[in-house]
Amino acid sequence: MLFSTKAEYGVRLMVELGRQPGSAPISLNAVAEAERLPLSYLEHLVAKLRKAGLVTSTRGAHGGYRLARPADEITMDAVVEALEGQIAPMECFHETPEGKVLCSHEDDGDRSCSTKLLWTRVQGGVTKALAGTTLAELVEFSSPGGRSEAAIASAA
Amino acid sequence: MLFSTKAEYGVRLMVELGRQPGSAPISLNAVAEAERLPLSYLEHLVAKLRKAGLVTSTRGAHGGYRLARPADEITMDAVVEALEGQIAPMECFHETPEGKVLCSHEDDGDRSCSTKLLWTRVQGGVTKALAGTTLAELVEFSSPGGRSEAAIASAA
DNA sequence: GCATAACCGACCACTCCAGTAGGATTTAGG
DNA sequence: CCTAAATCCTACTGGAGTGGTCGGTTATGC
């Protein structure tokens, strides 16, 4: 598996929040029941989403969570990265702050890493798919009158 | 990490085999020393590659491994899949023998899975990158007079 | 027949995953 | 003010997968 259930559950959580357009916050309990997911586990996930600035919370009775931004301004690379950590295809694969790609097998004077080409392409494919999908799309897709399956293919 | 070192080591192994154009088999020991990888661990990996029909082996003294096909006829999706198992972005993501994508959250009468759109796109991006890269490319890229870094970007 | 190699299976330490548990804190409503 | 509802926080745990190691068996060239 490329991703664990953290991403799976977390994305579902975000979709659930995006489904309600009202300004009232939604309790985790409501999300847990709607998606049939364990509440106590969702707590861990939503904490990551909050720390990443993707959702806001209001405490106390009638509290809950809201999207921090409109759903069409939330791309899924931010969501998945908040939940799973940095998305790299491989352990040896690091990204410098300037966005340059490094492989730890290169900088020790060795010949250039034979697998770098492959992992770079893979990462490109994943990030393009994630960054090219907004939460709004998922909300629309999952709603009863949502778009057809044909929409799945289009990644651009 | 999307992939473990099994894919990393296994791909290196394949590149090493592809580097020698001679017909003589290459011993695992030679590969292990060239790439500084533990021999006994490589044994497990090469077994998977052999079972997948990607390499052939000859036993006994002066034995070793060869690519089962020319390097430009080996695409990396087969290699990675042999090493890591079926490449699915998510546990709930199954592919039927006919190539149809199923999500286990759909077939129990539920509404269509809200995350299917996303994971389908991600998988598409990954498989496109893997299937669009041949072993021959990696061999050429890693050789001393190999192609420039500019080649990394091109995924088509 | 001996060194060299592929093969095979058992084992092991470690880490991460998925989830539970228990409590502390905050807040709306009565 | 009290209480129920909710977020928040930390610690713990069983299980699975990772990244190896080890010992032994079989096959083969010299």
Side-chain angles (χ1 to χ4, degrees):
Chain A
M1 296 315 127
L2 300 182
F3 298 115
S4 68
T5 63
K6 282 191 292 205
E8 171 74 15
Y9 293 179
V11 170
R12 299 181 111 77
L13 199 166
M14 290 293 284
V15 170
E16 203 66 28
L17 294 188
R19 205 186 294 274
Q20 269 85 4
S23 62
I26 304 164
S27 77
L28 257 199
N29 213 323
V31 174
E33 285 182 2
E35 297 283 344
R36 294 209 200 96
L37 299 173
L39 168 64
S40 44
Y41 190 42
L42 282 185
E43 286 185 0
H44 292 296
L45 305 183
V46 81
K48 299 187 183 206
L49 294 171
R50 187 172 51 83
K51 279 166 192 161
L54 292 166
V55 303
T56 59
S57 64
T58 58
R59 305 185 62 168
H62 300 106
Y65 296 91
R66 286 188 215 85
L67 297 182
R69 300 194 297 272
D72 60 350
E73 293 176 16
I74 297 179
T75 55
M76 300 314 292
D77 59 336
V79 175
V80 172
E81 192 160 323
L83 294 160
E84 299 270 351
Q86 274 239 347
I87 299 167
M90 198 57 57
E91 192 62 49
C92 63
F93 213 81
H94 300 296
E95 203 158 348
T96 64
E98 305 93 49
K100 202 165 186 302
V101 175
L102 275 189
C103 172
S104 47
H105 295 281
E106 295 187 302
D107 44 18
D108 52 338
D110 248 350
R111 65 166 171 274
S112 81
C113 175
S114 60
T115 65
K116 180 179 174 181
L117 171 62
L118 180 62
W119 307 134
T120 305
R121 286 184 181 173
V122 169
Q123 173 154 46
V126 172
T127 55
K128 187 181 167 192
L130 289 176
T133 304
T134 66
L135 181 59
E137 282 184 272
L138 298 189
V139 171
E140 186 189 3
F141 178 72
S142 70
S143 57
R147 285 198 280 166
S148 77
E149 300 254 333
I152 291 181
S154 73
Chain B
M1 297 316 127
L2 300 182
F3 298 116
S4 68
T5 62
K6 283 192 293 213
E8 171 75 15
Y9 293 0
V11 170
R12 299 180 110 77
L13 199 164
M14 292 292 284
V15 170
E16 202 66 28
L17 294 187
R19 205 187 294 274
Q20 270 86 1
S23 62
I26 303 166
S27 76
L28 257 201
N29 214 323
V31 175
E33 284 182 3
E35 297 284 343
R36 296 209 200 96
L37 299 174
L39 167 64
S40 44
Y41 189 43
L42 282 185
E43 285 184 359
H44 293 296
L45 304 183
V46 82
K48 299 188 181 203
L49 294 171
R50 187 174 50 85
K51 281 167 190 160
L54 292 166
V55 303
T56 60
S57 65
T58 58
R59 304 184 61 165
H62 301 106
Y65 296 92
R66 284 189 217 83
L67 297 181
R69 298 194 297 272
D72 60 349
E73 292 176 17
I74 297 179
T75 55
M76 300 313 294
D77 59 337
V79 176
V80 172
E81 192 160 323
L83 294 160
E84 298 270 351
Q86 274 239 348
I87 298 168
M90 197 58 55
E91 191 63 50
C92 63
F93 213 80
H94 301 297
E95 202 157 349
T96 65
E98 306 94 49
K100 202 166 186 302
V101 175
L102 274 190
C103 172
S104 48
H105 296 282
E106 296 186 302
D107 45 18
D108 52 337
D110 247 352
R111 65 165 170 274
S112 81
C113 176
S114 60
T115 66
K116 181 179 173 182
L117 171 62
L118 179 64
W119 306 133
T120 305
R121 286 184 181 173
V122 168
Q123 174 154 45
V126 172
T127 56
K128 188 183 168 193
L130 289 175
T133 303
T134 67
L135 181 58
E137 281 184 272
L138 297 189
V139 171
E140 186 189 1
F141 178 71
S142 70
S143 57
R147 287 198 279 164
S148 75
E149 299 254 331
I152 292 182
S154 76

